[in-house]
Amino acid sequence: MRRFRPALSTACFAVVALGLATSLLTFWAHATVYDSDDFSGRAVQLLDSPAVRHEVADRVTTSLARSGYRPAVELRPALQFAVEVAVDTEAFRSILRRSIESFHEALMGERGAPGGLDLSDALSVVTSTVQLPSDARTASAPSSALGSTLEDVSRRATDLRVWHWQDISAGVSLGALAGALGLSALGLAVAVDRRAGAARLGLAVAAAGVIVLATRALLVLAVRRMVDDAQLGDAVADGLWRATGDLRTLGTWVVGYGAVVTAAASRTSLTPAALRSRLAGVHGWRQRGQSHWLVVAVALVVLGLAITSAPELVVVGLVHLGGLWLLYLGVHEIVSHLAPPLERAAAEGPEGGHRSRERRRVALAGVAVAVLLALVTGGLLTATRRAANDAQVAGGRRCNGSAALCDATLDQVTFPGTHNAMSSSLYPGWLFGEQVNSIAAQLEGGVRALLFDTHYGEPTNVRLPGSGARLVVTDRAAELAAPPGSEVDIDPAVEARAAALRARASVTSGQRAIYLCHNWCEMGAVTFSSVLADISDFLDANPDEVVSIIIQDATTVAETSAAIEASGLADRAATLTKGQPLPTLGQLVDSGKRVLVFAEQGGNDAPPWYMKAYDWFQETGFSFSAIDGFDCKPNRGTADNPLFLVNHWVSTSPPNPKLAGQANTRQVLEDRIRTCLTERGLVPNIIAVDFAGRGDVVAVARALDADPSSRAREPLTTPTTAPSAGSSPVPASTTTTAAPLPPVPGQTDIPTLTGGDATAFCAAAPRGVRLSTAYSVAALSASAEEQGRADLAFGPGLVRTLTDYVRTAPIELATQARPLLERATAAVARLEAAGVDQQVIDEMADQAVTAADDPGVDALALDVDLAERLIGALGREGIATVAAAFAATAGDPTGVLDFGSVSDAVADADGYSCLADALAPTTGR
């Protein structure tokens, strides 16, 4: 019997290696392959592979080219690069993850019969990110391209029987582990030399790790063979190799585990000297003709082929072997010094004291080995958990930028917001802007709450010089209510300007629509539909973001909600229910209901998602004359409303971006928030500011969201008496018609362009056109008492910019602009005659030219700033006298505002293609 014990022990350890490897692999599969969340995360990790991203982008671009999309043919490298960048965005990963998760749930029988991957939403991210035109976005080409790319993979995946093994995988894993442990004990029990048996057990554990590593390689190879397309197969194999990094980590650490056990039990040291001795033994075998030489020769051949075909892998393998050798050598040295070999102990004698010391040394060695094994176990768990976490995070939800916020309810989240969000001077024709950026740019900059006003507007025949945008007038008679506070807070000078512009225009019949305006559409208007489209595009490109809208609605519920439905946002609008818990951001994201629509007026006939704002919000006041006047006193809404709106802006006319920047600093915002927390027991759910691009409102909101203590929101229990949010009647004064004024002339069509210096003109034209347009707005909206002031304020800048414009322009355009240049020259002469210093005139020209470099120049704000310089030079009475005298001699400005209209075809044909941008900025209207 003793003769068979070594063979039986070795057989047990061989089966231990297979059993342990089986247990590890089935456990990994149960936690990875059969879990939809983990599986989808690892699938998305395929995009970490540049080869996968390149292949997806190549196929999408190829399909676009075949569909006739010209940029895909003419500018393919640039477009393909843009698509590849879009595929690597978090938005694309997030939507792709959900598509794969749904597909996997179907495979596992959790959600109907499995179909193909639904990639339509993921492709919408690509098309919106690369800014494809509408015809390319709506075409099926991109979706079908990526769909057909993965159709073969999904079809073959559906046919695999592995999806039906979930129920037995856990049992197999536990059974294999139990069997491995039992056979390990049996192998040690029957071993003739227990220490040698322990060393063989360590080798069996290391072999299990090698089997895990080999299985990973075979898995990647098998998936590669599943894909018929060789190029796609290579890309998928590369991505899968990366996505199964934790399996590699698991196998590597198990090999290390076995190395520790083997080194602790082995009598053989693998020092460099010992290795040289073994190599010498191999050489001796060869000389003595023993058969071992064949094994060595075959090993050398395999190693040579490996180095030739895959040098990188061999280098990695040698590094791993070097690490294992160092681990083995270190553990062996520790054990051999703490517990010397038994032969040496026996030679030193059987004295009792010596035996006691030896027992202590052996125990110490055991402790050392246990500590080493614990360290290896800890490293194994940490490394594999880190790899699994990477898969979990890949494409995972980050609600409004944070995974933690997915579990936060609406009343536990702070949304950075913009007051009069539509009031941006980047929209053509907008005056007295209260935001730096357009709504699309605000959303991209971190704003998640938009406060804007809807009005009925009617486009007119007025097109200011160089502007393709029509002047829009407010149809106040059709509106629900006058602007809140119109009797108190609205600057009468601004109202007078709006009336002056309205008096110079005739309405285009039958084109009334909903616009976003601040009180008067004459002072700036952007179509409601275009803003809704921008919000929809943002939600398409950012699938984990939730946006809140509060509408100051002067338009009816029926028409406002119909516009929202037409945009597609109604399908994404969430409905809150009184008495029910507020949803978490994660629930909104998962449901696809990621926009919250509130209206100040609302109505009983409103759709359920079109909610009355002050049934849900309680707020602060909104009229503050200075920063030190901010308070948290209750305004609209009652104290039992769950959401809290902090209105945080200083009301000035015109709006003051510098003052807003000071109000939006972290210190001021945090002081206000602490005050509200003390007085009202609330942290804001929306902080609405002017000029959100200046200051720290987004950073402060994110800091509040990152602080779990800020989510313990305890509203006051004592009801608050608050003003009603009801309608106010339309004041009669807003519906009266101003006295007739000379209408603004149309722009003369110019059929051909001759002469001029195209290069110089294209450099000078944008600045000259912008400043002329700004002057036109200021002059046409001036009251009777202010006639001529705009000429004096803008004259220096106009002389400087229009001199270059007229000098370099084609003959036809120079003829149209020359009357305004002559009028501006006369205005400057009048300033000089009044005693204004040349330095002041030059400084005014510098200021005007600098402002004209900004495509979003605010005409009336610039008018106010330039007038302040004149007042400083001549005094208020002096400038009024000079302006009135100039107006009396120069007459109404409408006669000099016809710069001409040049079609794109004429401009391109005659070499002045820059005119398309310089004379026709139509965006946003």
Side-chain angles (χ1 to χ4, degrees):
M1 180 66 182
R2 183 179 178 83
R3 184 176 53 174
F4 296 105
R5 286 171 62 183
L8 179 59
S9 176
T10 301
C12 287
F13 293 136
V15 179
V16 165
L18 293 174
L20 180 58
T22 301
S23 176
L24 293 172
L25 289 169
T26 52
F27 176 80
W28 179 86
H30 185 79
T32 303
V33 177
Y34 300 121
D35 181 89
S36 296
D37 189 44
D38 197 290
F39 181 86
S40 59
R42 290 175 186 275
V44 169
Q45 277 189 296
L46 293 174
L47 295 176
D48 290 343
S49 166
V52 171
R53 297 196 300 270
H54 178 80
E55 184 65 20
V56 170
D58 178 70
R59 287 170 180 261
V60 170
T61 311
T62 297
S63 186
L64 285 171
R66 289 174 177 170
S67 69
Y69 179 50
R70 288 182 60 187
V73 177
E74 300 170 358
L75 302 171
R76 173 165 182 149
L79 181 63
Q80 183 167 325
F81 176 76
V83 173
E84 192 169 336
V85 170
V87 167
D88 197 29
T89 60
E90 284 300 319
F92 183 87
R93 287 170 179 258
S94 180
I95 293 179
L96 180 62
R97 175 171 180 155
R98 287 177 209 163
S99 299
I100 295 174
E101 188 171 354
S102 297
F103 174 67
H104 186 270
E105 287 174 351
L107 283 176
M108 302 303 298
E110 299 177 19
R111 187 185 295 178
L117 285 170
D118 180 6
L119 299 169
S120 57
D121 288 341
L123 265 296
S124 70
V125 173
V126 173
T127 55
S128 62
T129 302
V130 300
Q131 297 182 339
L132 298 182
S134 56
D135 58 341
R137 291 193 190 191
T138 56
S140 60
S143 183
S144 62
L146 192 54
S148 61
T149 292
L150 299 179
E151 180 182 0
D152 182 54
V153 177
S154 58
R155 176 174 51 80
R156 289 176 178 265
T158 303
D159 294 338
L160 292 176
R161 297 181 58 83
V162 69
W163 310 114
H164 305 294
W165 298 346
Q166 179 184 13
D167 294 337
I168 66 172
S169 60
V172 170
S173 178
L174 292 175
L177 179 61
L181 292 174
L183 289 173
S184 297
L186 178 61
L188 289 173
V190 301
V192 176
D193 186 337
R194 300 288 171 78
R195 186 167 179 175
R200 287 195 293 272
L201 175 59
L203 290 175
V205 172
V210 172
I211 293 172
V212 169
L213 295 173
T215 302
R216 176 187 179 230
L218 292 174
L219 173 66
V220 173
L221 180 61
V223 171
R224 166 66 186 85
R225 292 174 64 88
M226 285 172 54
V227 183
D228 294 334
D229 187 297
Q231 193 169 356
L232 175 62
D234 290 339
V236 171
D238 180 69
L240 185 61
W241 185 258
R242 295 167 183 266
T244 55
D246 63 332
L247 201 58
R248 178 199 63 195
T249 303
L250 176 65
T252 302
W253 279 93
V254 170
V255 171
Y257 207 105
V260 170
V261 175
T262 302
S266 178
R267 294 186 175 88
T268 304
S269 172
L270 292 181
T271 60
L275 290 175
R276 285 196 299 272
S277 175
R278 288 182 174 272
L279 289 174
V282 170
H283 182 68
W285 291 342
R286 180 177 178 278
Q287 287 188 338
R288 290 193 297 272
Q290 297 184 24
S291 60
H292 297 82
W293 68 269
L294 181 60
V295 176
V296 175
V298 171
L300 292 175
V301 170
V302 171
L303 180 62
L305 290 174
I307 293 174
T308 302
S309 59
E312 298 88 356
L313 292 179
V314 173
V315 170
V316 172
L318 291 176
V319 170
H320 280 295
L321 286 175
L324 289 172
W325 172 64
L326 293 175
L327 178 64
Y328 180 96
L329 184 61
V331 173
H332 188 274
E333 289 298 311
I334 291 173
V335 174
S336 63
H337 281 82
L338 292 179
L342 295 178
E343 296 82 355
R344 195 175 78 191
E348 293 176 351
E351 293 83 357
H354 178 74
R355 290 177 179 174
S356 177
R357 288 194 302 273
E358 285 304 313
R359 282 196 293 271
R360 286 196 299 270
R361 296 176 72 178
V362 170
L364 186 58
V367 170
V369 172
V371 170
L372 289 170
L373 291 176
L375 290 174
V376 174
T377 302
L380 169 63
L381 294 175
T382 300
T384 52
R385 189 65 258 164
R386 184 186 302 117
N389 286 340
D390 290 342
Q392 187 71 19
V393 169
R397 294 182 309 174
R398 294 176 58 83
C399 301
N400 282 24
S402 169
L405 289 183
C406 292
D407 296 324
T409 55
L410 282 175
D411 59 335
Q412 296 176 331
V413 180
T414 300
F415 287 58
T418 45
H419 165 239
N420 286 330
M422 70 290 171
S423 180
S424 167
S425 56
L426 291 182
Y427 293 122
W430 200 283
L431 309 173
F432 294 139
E434 292 175 85
Q435 298 298 333
V436 175
N437 295 316
S438 65
I439 284 177
Q442 290 170 32
L443 291 170
E444 291 296 337
V447 169
R448 293 297 176 268
L450 303 168
L451 284 64
F452 49 62
D453 308 351
T454 57
H455 289 273
Y456 289 118
E458 297 178 289
T460 71
N461 64 332
V462 173
R463 293 177 186 267
L464 299 175
S467 177
R470 294 179 183 270
L471 176 71
V472 177
V473 298
T474 315
D475 186 359
R476 187 73 78 213
E479 298 195 337
L480 297 177
S486 58
E487 299 85 0
V488 181
D489 297 329
I490 293 176
D491 188 339
V494 176
E495 185 174 10
R497 285 181 180 270
L501 285 171
R502 182 166 59 248
R504 294 179 180 272
S506 60
V507 173
T508 304
S509 177
Q511 294 191 19
R512 191 188 78 180
I514 297 179
Y515 288 84
L516 300 186
C517 319
H518 183 38
N519 300 329
W520 297 280
C521 295
E522 293 84 354
M523 308 305 285
V526 57
T527 57
F528 189 32
S529 59
S530 69
V531 168
L532 294 175
D534 287 342
I535 297 171
S536 182
D537 287 345
F538 175 79
L539 293 174
D540 283 341
N542 299 272
D544 292 343
E545 300 297 318
V546 178
V547 174
S548 183
I549 298 170
I550 299 180
I551 304 173
Q552 181 180 302
D553 49 333
T555 50
T556 66
V557 168
E559 292 191 62
T560 310
S561 60
I564 296 173
E565 289 170 353
S567 72
L569 281 181
D571 295 334
R572 299 177 174 185
T575 300
L576 306 182
T577 305
K578 280 289 188 180
Q580 297 295 320
L582 291 172
T584 65
L585 292 194
Q587 289 170 335
L588 294 174
V589 168
D590 291 341
S591 68
K593 307 294 186 179
R594 296 186 289 118
V595 61
L596 297 150
V597 182
F598 302 96
E600 290 189 7
Q601 303 292 334
N604 295 329
D605 56 342
W609 50 264
Y610 191 81
M611 300 170 285
K612 287 189 176 182
Y614 296 103
D615 285 350
W616 292 96
F617 282 95
Q618 51 181 300
E619 67 165 0
T620 67
F622 54 78
S623 182
F624 302 101
S625 59
I627 292 175
D628 58 9
F630 284 136
D631 60 46
C632 295
K633 295 177 182 178
N635 195 40
R636 291 171 291 186
T638 59
D640 58 350
N641 286 351
L643 303 176
F644 183 36
L645 166 63
V646 171
N647 299 306
H648 189 85
W649 61 86
V650 178
S651 299
T652 61
S653 184
N656 188 332
K658 182 178 181 181
L659 186 60
Q662 295 169 357
N664 297 345
T665 61
R666 180 181 291 271
Q667 185 64 52
V668 174
L669 285 165
E670 290 180 346
D671 287 347
R672 179 99 185 274
I673 290 167
R674 279 192 292 269
T675 300
C676 291
L677 183 60
T678 300
E679 296 182 2
R680 312 257 319 247
L682 296 166
V683 176
N685 301 115
I686 294 177
I687 307 173
V689 301
D690 283 346
F691 297 101
R694 296 172 178 261
D696 306 309
V697 65
V698 172
V700 168
R702 287 177 177 170
L704 284 172
D705 287 336
D707 180 8
S709 65
S710 72
R711 300 184 191 173
R713 311 199 175 188
E714 301 174 356
L716 295 176
T717 55
T718 304
T720 302
T721 301
S724 169
S727 301
S728 57
V730 181
S733 62
T734 63
T735 60
T736 58
T737 303
L741 292 171
V744 179
Q747 303 292 297
T748 301
D749 288 330
I750 298 178
T752 185
L753 298 173
T754 55
D757 182 337
T759 302
F761 175 74
C762 285
R767 180 183 290 166
V769 168
R770 288 174 194 147
L771 194 57
S772 299
T773 303
Y775 160 76
S776 302
V777 172
L780 294 175
S781 65
S783 64
E785 295 77 14
E786 294 176 332
Q787 291 295 318
R789 195 190 72 176
D791 291 281
L792 301 179
F794 283 86
L798 288 173
V799 168
R800 184 176 296 181
T801 56
L802 290 183
T803 297
D804 290 339
Y805 181 99
V806 170
R807 178 177 56 83
T808 60
I811 295 172
E812 296 80 2
L813 292 181
T815 300
Q816 296 294 129
R818 191 169 285 112
L820 179 55
L821 175 57
E822 293 171 353
R823 184 181 177 104
T825 303
V828 172
R830 185 61 63 99
L831 288 176
E832 293 172 343
V836 178
D837 189 81
Q838 184 63 44
Q839 181 178 349
V840 174
I841 294 174
D842 290 341
E843 290 173 352
M844 291 175 63
D846 292 339
Q847 182 176 354
V849 170
T850 300
D853 286 334
D854 181 2
V857 58
D858 188 325
L860 298 187
L862 179 58
D863 181 31
V864 171
D865 289 343
L866 292 172
E868 286 297 323
R869 284 186 175 271
L870 288 177
I871 292 170
L874 298 175
R876 292 188 182 276
E877 292 185 3
I879 191 61
T881 300
V882 175
F886 181 83
T889 57
D892 190 84
T894 54
V896 298
L897 300 182
D898 180 4
F899 266 38
S901 176
V902 181
S903 69
D904 290 349
V906 171
D908 290 341
D910 295 333
Y912 288 90
S913 57
C914 62
L915 287 174
D917 295 325
L919 293 181
T922 58
T923 304
R925 295 296 277 256

